[in-house]
Amino acid sequence: MDIKEKIEELVDKVKNDKDFAKDFKENPVKAVEGVIGVDLPDEKLESIVDGVKAKVSLDDIKDKIGGLFGKK
């Protein structure tokens, strides 16, 4: 499993699927496990969850900064 690829997939899903975003917010480990389809220990999934949270936050910041200059 390519972790970086899965993080990108999950980030896209968080941004574009309101139901998944809600599930991710309420129980990120369970939401990630459902998408990955593999039962991994929570400790392993936490690193993926952290990567998704960081990427979503970074993308949101970039969008806001771009909005200041009329770009998105």
Side-chain angles (χ1 to χ4, degrees):
M1 171 179 15
D2 182 358
I3 301 297
K4 190 174 181 179
E5 182 179 304
K6 282 296 176 185
I7 289 173
E8 290 296 328
E9 176 185 341
L10 290 161
V11 167
D12 186 56
K13 195 157 178 71
V14 167
K15 289 181 172 186
N16 297 308
D17 183 336
K18 290 181 183 180
D19 291 332
F20 180 76
K22 180 179 177 261
D23 291 344
F24 184 81
K25 185 175 181 180
E26 291 174 1
N27 190 340
V29 171
K30 184 177 176 184
V32 168
E33 194 172 59
V35 170
I36 291 176
V38 177
D39 186 19
L40 296 172
D42 287 357
E43 307 85 54
K44 299 289 184 185
L45 293 174
E46 285 292 335
S47 63
I48 295 172
V49 168
D50 291 343
V52 172
K53 287 180 179 179
K55 179 77 170 130
V56 168
S57 294
L58 181 61
D59 287 351
D60 286 345
I61 290 170
K62 286 180 181 177
D63 288 345
K64 289 176 184 170
I65 290 173
L68 291 174
F69 300 102
K71 299 176 185 176
K72 247 195 165 188

Coordinates of all heavy atoms in Angstrom, one line a residue:
M1 N 0.8 -1.2 0.0 CA 0.0 0.0 0.0 C 0.9 1.2 0.0 O 1.8 1.4 0.8 CB -0.9 0.0 1.2 CG -1.6 1.3 1.4 SD -2.8 1.4 2.9 CE -2.4 0.1 4.0
D2 N 0.7 2.1 -0.9 CA 1.4 3.4 -1.0 C 0.7 4.4 -0.1 O -0.4 4.9 -0.4 CB 1.4 3.9 -2.5 CG 2.2 5.1 -2.7 OD1 2.7 5.7 -1.7 OD2 2.3 5.6 -3.8
I3 N 1.3 4.7 1.0 CA 0.7 5.6 2.0 C 0.5 7.0 1.5 O -0.6 7.5 1.7 CB 1.6 5.7 3.3 CG1 1.9 4.3 3.9 CG2 1.1 6.6 4.3 CD1 0.6 3.6 4.4
K4 N 1.4 7.5 0.8 CA 1.3 8.9 0.2 C 0.0 8.9 -0.7 O -0.7 9.9 -0.7 CB 2.5 9.3 -0.5 CG 2.6 10.7 -0.9 CD 3.9 11.1 -1.5 CE 4.0 12.5 -1.9 NZ 5.3 12.9 -2.4
E5 N -0.1 7.9 -1.6 CA -1.2 7.8 -2.5 C -2.6 7.7 -1.7 O -3.5 8.4 -2.1 CB -1.1 6.6 -3.4 CG -2.1 6.4 -4.4 CD -1.9 5.2 -5.3 OE1 -0.8 5.1 -5.9 OE2 -2.8 4.4 -5.4
K6 N -2.6 6.9 -0.7 CA -3.8 6.8 0.1 C -4.2 8.1 0.8 O -5.3 8.5 0.9 CB -3.7 5.7 1.2 CG -3.8 4.3 0.6 CD -5.2 4.1 0.1 CE -5.3 2.8 -0.6 NZ -6.6 2.6 -1.2
I7 N -3.2 8.8 1.3 CA -3.4 10.1 2.0 C -4.0 11.1 1.0 O -5.0 11.7 1.3 CB -2.1 10.7 2.6 CG1 -1.7 9.9 3.8 CG2 -2.3 12.2 2.9 CD1 -0.4 10.2 4.4
E8 N -3.5 11.1 -0.3 CA -4.1 12.0 -1.3 C -5.5 11.6 -1.6 O -6.4 12.5 -1.8 CB -3.2 11.9 -2.6 CG -1.9 12.6 -2.4 CD -1.9 14.1 -2.2 OE1 -2.9 14.8 -2.6 OE2 -1.1 14.6 -1.4
E9 N -5.8 10.3 -1.7 CA -7.1 9.8 -2.0 C -8.1 10.2 -0.8 O -9.2 10.7 -1.1 CB -7.1 8.3 -2.1 CG -8.5 7.7 -2.2 CD -8.4 6.1 -2.2 OE1 -7.3 5.5 -2.4 OE2 -9.5 5.5 -2.0
L10 N -7.6 10.1 0.4 CA -8.4 10.5 1.6 C -8.7 12.0 1.6 O -9.8 12.4 2.0 CB -7.8 9.9 2.8 CG -7.9 8.4 3.0 CD1 -6.8 7.9 4.0 CD2 -9.3 8.0 3.4
V11 N -7.6 12.8 1.3 CA -7.8 14.2 1.3 C -8.9 14.6 0.3 O -9.7 15.4 0.6 CB -6.4 14.9 1.0 CG1 -6.6 16.4 0.7 CG2 -5.5 14.7 2.2
D12 N -8.8 14.0 -0.9 CA -9.8 14.3 -1.9 C -11.2 13.9 -1.4 O -12.1 14.7 -1.6 CB -9.4 13.6 -3.2 CG -10.3 13.9 -4.3 OD1 -10.4 15.1 -4.6 OD2 -11.0 13.0 -4.9
K13 N -11.3 12.8 -0.8 CA -12.6 12.3 -0.3 C -13.1 13.3 0.8 O -14.3 13.6 0.9 CB -12.4 10.9 0.2 CG -13.8 10.2 0.4 CD -13.6 8.7 0.4 CE -14.9 8.0 0.6 NZ -15.8 8.1 -0.5
V14 N -12.2 13.7 1.7 CA -12.7 14.7 2.8 C -13.2 15.9 2.2 O -14.2 16.5 2.6 CB -11.5 15.0 3.8 CG1 -11.8 16.2 4.6 CG2 -11.2 13.8 4.6
K15 N -12.5 16.4 1.1 CA -12.9 17.7 0.5 C -14.2 17.6 -0.3 O -14.9 18.6 -0.5 CB -11.8 18.2 -0.3 CG -10.6 18.7 0.4 CD -9.5 19.2 -0.5 CE -8.4 19.9 0.3 NZ -7.4 20.5 -0.6
N16 N -14.4 16.4 -0.9 CA -15.5 16.3 -1.9 C -16.7 15.5 -1.4 O -17.7 15.4 -2.2 CB -15.0 15.8 -3.2 CG -13.9 16.7 -3.8 OD1 -14.2 17.9 -4.0 ND2 -12.8 16.2 -4.1
D17 N -16.6 14.8 -0.3 CA -17.7 13.9 0.2 C -18.1 14.4 1.6 O -17.4 14.1 2.5 CB -17.2 12.5 0.1 CG -18.3 11.5 0.6 OD1 -19.2 11.9 1.3 OD2 -18.2 10.3 0.2
K18 N -19.2 15.1 1.7 CA -19.6 15.7 3.0 C -19.9 14.6 4.0 O -19.5 14.8 5.2 CB -20.8 16.6 2.8 CG -20.6 17.8 2.0 CD -21.8 18.7 1.9 CE -21.5 19.9 1.1 NZ -22.6 20.8 0.9
D19 N -20.4 13.5 3.6 CA -20.7 12.4 4.5 C -19.4 11.8 5.1 O -19.2 11.6 6.3 CB -21.5 11.3 3.9 CG -23.0 11.8 3.6 OD1 -23.5 12.6 4.3 OD2 -23.6 11.2 2.7
F20 N -18.4 11.6 4.2 CA -17.1 11.1 4.6 C -16.4 12.1 5.5 O -15.8 11.8 6.5 CB -16.2 10.7 3.5 CG -14.9 10.2 3.9 CD1 -14.8 8.9 4.4 CD2 -13.8 11.0 3.9 CE1 -13.6 8.4 4.9 CE2 -12.6 10.5 4.3 CZ -12.5 9.2 4.8
A21 N -16.5 13.4 5.1 CA -15.9 14.4 6.0 C -16.4 14.4 7.4 O -15.7 14.6 8.3 CB -16.0 15.8 5.3
K22 N -17.7 14.3 7.5 CA -18.4 14.2 8.8 C -17.9 13.0 9.6 O -17.5 13.1 10.8 CB -19.9 14.2 8.6 CG -20.7 14.1 9.9 CD -22.2 14.1 9.6 CE -22.9 14.0 10.9 NZ -23.4 12.6 11.2
D23 N -17.8 11.8 8.9 CA -17.4 10.6 9.5 C -15.9 10.8 10.0 O -15.5 10.3 11.1 CB -17.5 9.4 8.6 CG -18.9 9.0 8.3 OD1 -19.8 9.4 9.1 OD2 -19.2 8.3 7.3
F24 N -15.1 11.4 9.1 CA -13.7 11.6 9.4 C -13.5 12.5 10.6 O -12.7 12.2 11.5 CB -13.0 12.2 8.2 CG -11.5 12.3 8.4 CD1 -10.6 11.2 8.2 CD2 -10.9 13.5 8.8 CE1 -9.3 11.3 8.4 CE2 -9.5 13.6 8.9 CZ -8.7 12.5 8.8
K25 N -14.3 13.5 10.7 CA -14.2 14.4 11.8 C -14.6 13.7 13.2 O -14.0 13.9 14.2 CB -15.1 15.6 11.6 CG -15.0 16.7 12.7 CD -15.8 17.9 12.3 CE -15.7 19.0 13.4 NZ -16.5 20.2 13.1
E26 N -15.7 12.9 13.1 CA -16.2 12.2 14.3 C -15.3 11.0 14.7 O -15.0 10.8 15.9 CB -17.6 11.7 14.0 CG -18.6 12.8 13.9 CD -20.0 12.3 13.5 OE1 -20.2 11.1 13.4 OE2 -20.9 13.2 13.4
N27 N -14.8 10.2 13.8 CA -14.0 9.1 14.1 C -13.0 8.8 12.9 O -13.3 8.0 12.1 CB -14.8 7.9 14.4 CG -14.0 6.7 14.9 OD1 -12.8 6.6 14.8 ND2 -14.7 5.8 15.6
P28 N -11.9 9.6 12.9 CA -11.0 9.5 11.7 C -10.4 8.1 11.5 O -10.3 7.7 10.4 CB -9.9 10.5 12.0 CG -10.1 10.8 13.5 CD -11.4 10.5 13.9
V29 N -10.1 7.4 12.6 CA -9.5 6.1 12.4 C -10.5 5.1 11.7 O -10.1 4.4 10.8 CB -9.0 5.5 13.7 CG1 -8.6 4.0 13.6 CG2 -7.8 6.3 14.3
K30 N -11.7 5.1 12.2 CA -12.7 4.2 11.6 C -13.0 4.6 10.2 O -13.2 3.7 9.3 CB -14.0 4.3 12.4 CG -15.0 3.3 12.0 CD -16.3 3.4 12.9 CE -17.4 2.5 12.4 NZ -18.6 2.6 13.2
A31 N -13.1 5.9 9.9 CA -13.3 6.4 8.5 C -12.2 6.0 7.6 O -12.5 5.5 6.5 CB -13.5 7.9 8.5
V32 N -11.0 6.1 8.0 CA -9.9 5.7 7.1 C -9.9 4.2 6.9 O -9.7 3.8 5.8 CB -8.5 6.2 7.8 CG1 -7.3 5.6 7.1 CG2 -8.4 7.7 7.7
E33 N -10.1 3.5 8.0 CA -10.1 2.0 7.9 C -11.2 1.6 6.8 O -11.0 0.7 6.1 CB -10.4 1.4 9.2 CG -10.2 0.0 9.3 CD -10.3 -0.5 10.8 OE1 -11.4 -0.4 11.4 OE2 -9.3 -1.0 11.3
G34 N -12.3 2.3 6.8 CA -13.4 1.9 5.9 C -13.0 2.2 4.5 O -13.4 1.4 3.6
V35 N -12.2 3.2 4.2 CA -11.8 3.5 2.8 C -10.7 2.6 2.4 O -10.7 2.1 1.3 CB -11.3 5.0 2.7 CG1 -10.7 5.2 1.4 CG2 -12.5 5.9 2.9
I36 N -9.7 2.3 3.3 CA -8.6 1.5 3.0 C -9.0 0.0 2.8 O -8.5 -0.7 1.9 CB -7.5 1.6 4.0 CG1 -6.9 3.0 4.0 CG2 -6.4 0.5 3.9 CD1 -5.9 3.3 5.1
G37 N -10.0 -0.4 3.6 CA -10.5 -1.7 3.4 C -9.7 -2.8 4.1 O -9.8 -4.0 3.8
V38 N -8.7 -2.4 4.9 CA -7.8 -3.3 5.6 C -7.9 -3.0 7.0 O -7.8 -1.8 7.5 CB -6.4 -3.1 5.0 CG1 -5.4 -4.0 5.8 CG2 -6.3 -3.3 3.6
D39 N -8.0 -4.0 7.8 CA -8.0 -3.9 9.3 C -6.6 -3.8 9.8 O -5.9 -4.8 9.9 CB -8.8 -5.0 9.9 CG -9.0 -4.9 11.4 OD1 -8.9 -3.7 11.9 OD2 -9.2 -5.9 12.1
L40 N -6.2 -2.6 10.1 CA -4.8 -2.4 10.6 C -4.9 -1.9 12.1 O -6.0 -1.4 12.5 CB -4.1 -1.3 9.8 CG -3.8 -1.6 8.4 CD1 -3.3 -0.3 7.7 CD2 -2.8 -2.7 8.2
P41 N -3.9 -2.1 12.8 CA -3.9 -1.5 14.2 C -4.1 0.0 14.2 O -3.6 0.7 13.3 CB -2.5 -1.9 14.7 CG -2.0 -3.0 13.9 CD -2.6 -2.8 12.5
D42 N -4.8 0.5 15.2 CA -5.0 1.9 15.3 C -3.8 2.8 15.2 O -3.8 3.8 14.6 CB -5.8 2.3 16.5 CG -7.3 1.8 16.5 OD1 -7.7 1.3 15.4 OD2 -8.0 2.0 17.5
E43 N -2.7 2.3 15.8 CA -1.4 3.0 15.7 C -0.9 3.3 14.3 O -0.4 4.3 14.0 CB -0.3 2.3 16.5 CG -0.6 1.9 17.9 CD -1.3 0.5 18.0 OE1 -0.9 -0.5 17.4 OE2 -2.4 0.5 18.6
K44 N -1.1 2.3 13.4 CA -0.7 2.4 12.0 C -1.6 3.4 11.3 O -1.2 4.2 10.5 CB -0.8 1.0 11.3 CG 0.1 0.0 11.9 CD 1.6 0.3 11.6 CE 2.4 -0.8 12.1 NZ 3.8 -0.6 12.0
L45 N -2.9 3.4 11.6 CA -3.8 4.3 11.0 C -3.7 5.7 11.4 O -4.0 6.6 10.7 CB -5.3 3.8 11.2 CG -5.6 2.5 10.5 CD1 -7.0 2.0 10.9 CD2 -5.6 2.6 9.0
E46 N -3.2 5.9 12.7 CA -3.0 7.2 13.2 C -2.1 8.1 12.3 O -2.3 9.3 12.1 CB -2.5 7.2 14.7 CG -3.6 6.8 15.7 CD -4.7 7.9 15.8 OE1 -4.4 9.1 15.5 OE2 -5.8 7.5 16.2
S47 N -1.0 7.4 11.8 CA -0.1 8.2 11.0 C -0.7 8.6 9.7 O -0.5 9.7 9.2 CB 1.2 7.3 10.7 OG 0.9 6.2 10.0
I48 N -1.6 7.8 9.1 CA -2.4 8.2 7.9 C -3.3 9.3 8.3 O -3.4 10.3 7.5 CB -3.1 7.0 7.3 CG1 -2.1 5.9 6.9 CG2 -4.0 7.4 6.2 CD1 -2.7 4.6 6.4
V49 N -4.1 9.2 9.4 CA -5.0 10.2 9.8 C -4.3 11.5 10.0 O -4.7 12.6 9.5 CB -5.7 9.8 11.1 CG1 -6.4 11.0 11.8 CG2 -6.6 8.6 10.9
D50 N -3.1 11.5 10.6 CA -2.3 12.7 10.8 C -1.9 13.3 9.5 O -1.9 14.6 9.3 CB -1.1 12.4 11.7 CG -1.4 12.1 13.1 OD1 -2.6 12.4 13.6 OD2 -0.6 11.6 13.8
G51 N -1.5 12.5 8.6 CA -1.1 13.0 7.2 C -2.3 13.7 6.5 O -2.1 14.7 5.9
V52 N -3.5 13.1 6.6 CA -4.7 13.6 6.0 C -5.0 15.0 6.6 O -5.3 16.0 5.9 CB -5.9 12.7 6.1 CG1 -7.1 13.3 5.6 CG2 -5.6 11.4 5.3
K53 N -5.0 15.0 7.9 CA -5.3 16.3 8.7 C -4.3 17.4 8.3 O -4.7 18.5 8.0 CB -5.3 16.1 10.2 CG -6.5 15.3 10.7 CD -6.4 15.1 12.2 CE -7.6 14.3 12.7 NZ -7.4 14.1 14.2
A54 N -3.1 17.0 8.2 CA -2.1 18.0 7.9 C -2.3 18.5 6.4 O -2.2 19.7 6.2 CB -0.7 17.4 8.0
K55 N -2.5 17.6 5.5 CA -2.7 18.0 4.1 C -3.9 18.9 3.9 O -3.9 19.8 3.2 CB -2.7 16.7 3.2 CG -2.9 17.0 1.8 CD -1.7 17.5 1.1 CE -1.9 17.5 -0.4 NZ -1.5 18.7 -1.0
V56 N -5.0 18.5 4.6 CA -6.3 19.2 4.5 C -6.1 20.7 5.0 O -6.4 21.6 4.4 CB -7.4 18.5 5.2 CG1 -8.6 19.5 5.3 CG2 -7.8 17.3 4.4
S57 N -5.4 20.8 6.1 CA -5.1 22.1 6.7 C -4.2 22.9 5.9 O -4.5 24.1 5.7 CB -4.4 21.9 8.1 OG -5.3 21.3 9.0
L58 N -3.2 22.3 5.3 CA -2.3 23.0 4.4 C -3.0 23.5 3.2 O -2.8 24.7 2.8 CB -1.1 22.1 4.0 CG -0.1 22.7 3.1 CD1 0.6 23.9 3.8 CD2 1.0 21.7 2.8
D59 N -3.8 22.7 2.6 CA -4.6 23.1 1.4 C -5.6 24.2 1.7 O -5.7 25.1 0.9 CB -5.3 21.9 0.8 CG -4.4 20.9 0.1 OD1 -3.2 21.2 -0.1 OD2 -4.9 19.8 -0.3
D60 N -6.2 24.1 2.9 CA -7.1 25.2 3.3 C -6.4 26.5 3.4 O -6.9 27.6 3.0 CB -7.8 24.9 4.6 CG -8.9 23.8 4.4 OD1 -9.3 23.5 3.3 OD2 -9.3 23.2 5.5
I61 N -5.2 26.5 4.0 CA -4.4 27.7 4.2 C -4.0 28.3 2.8 O -4.1 29.5 2.6 CB -3.1 27.4 5.0 CG1 -3.6 27.1 6.5 CG2 -2.1 28.6 5.0 CD1 -2.5 26.6 7.4
K62 N -3.6 27.4 1.9 CA -3.2 27.8 0.6 C -4.4 28.5 -0.1 O -4.2 29.5 -0.8 CB -2.7 26.7 -0.3 CG -1.3 26.2 0.1 CD -0.9 25.0 -0.8 CE 0.4 24.5 -0.4 NZ 0.8 23.3 -1.2
D63 N -5.6 27.9 0.0 CA -6.8 28.5 -0.6 C -7.1 29.9 0.0 O -7.4 30.8 -0.8 CB -8.0 27.6 -0.4 CG -7.9 26.3 -1.3 OD1 -7.1 26.3 -2.2 OD2 -8.7 25.4 -1.0
K64 N -6.9 30.0 1.3 CA -7.2 31.3 1.9 C -6.2 32.4 1.5 O -6.5 33.5 1.2 CB -7.2 31.1 3.4 CG -8.5 30.4 3.9 CD -8.5 30.1 5.3 CE -9.7 29.3 5.7 NZ -9.7 28.8 7.1
I65 N -4.9 32.0 1.4 CA -3.9 32.9 1.0 C -4.1 33.3 -0.5 O -4.0 34.5 -0.8 CB -2.5 32.3 1.2 CG1 -2.2 32.2 2.7 CG2 -1.4 33.2 0.5 CD1 -0.9 31.5 3.0
G66 N -4.4 32.3 -1.3 CA -4.7 32.6 -2.7 C -5.9 33.5 -2.8 O -5.9 34.4 -3.7
G67 N -6.9 33.4 -2.0 CA -8.1 34.2 -2.0 C -7.7 35.7 -1.7 O -8.4 36.6 -2.2
L68 N -6.7 35.9 -0.9 CA -6.3 37.3 -0.6 C -5.8 38.0 -1.9 O -5.8 39.2 -2.0 CB -5.2 37.2 0.4 CG -5.6 36.8 1.8 CD1 -4.3 36.7 2.7 CD2 -6.5 37.8 2.4
F69 N -5.2 37.2 -2.8 CA -4.7 37.8 -4.0 C -5.6 37.5 -5.2 O -5.1 37.6 -6.4 CB -3.3 37.2 -4.2 CG -2.3 37.5 -3.1 CD1 -2.0 36.5 -2.2 CD2 -1.8 38.7 -3.0 CE1 -1.2 36.8 -1.1 CE2 -0.9 39.0 -1.9 CZ -0.6 38.1 -1.0
G70 N -6.8 37.0 -5.0 CA -7.7 36.8 -6.1 C -7.5 35.5 -6.8 O -7.9 35.3 -7.9
K71 N -6.7 34.6 -6.2 CA -6.4 33.3 -6.9 C -6.9 32.2 -6.0 O -7.1 32.3 -4.8 CB -4.9 33.1 -7.0 CG -4.2 34.2 -7.8 CD -2.7 34.0 -7.8 CE -2.0 35.1 -8.5 NZ -0.5 34.9 -8.4
K72 N -7.1 31.1 -6.6 CA -7.5 29.9 -5.9 C -6.8 28.7 -6.4 O -6.4 28.6 -7.5 CB -9.0 29.7 -6.0 CG -9.6 29.8 -4.6 CD -11.0 29.3 -4.5 CE -11.3 29.2 -3.0 NZ -12.4 28.6 -2.7

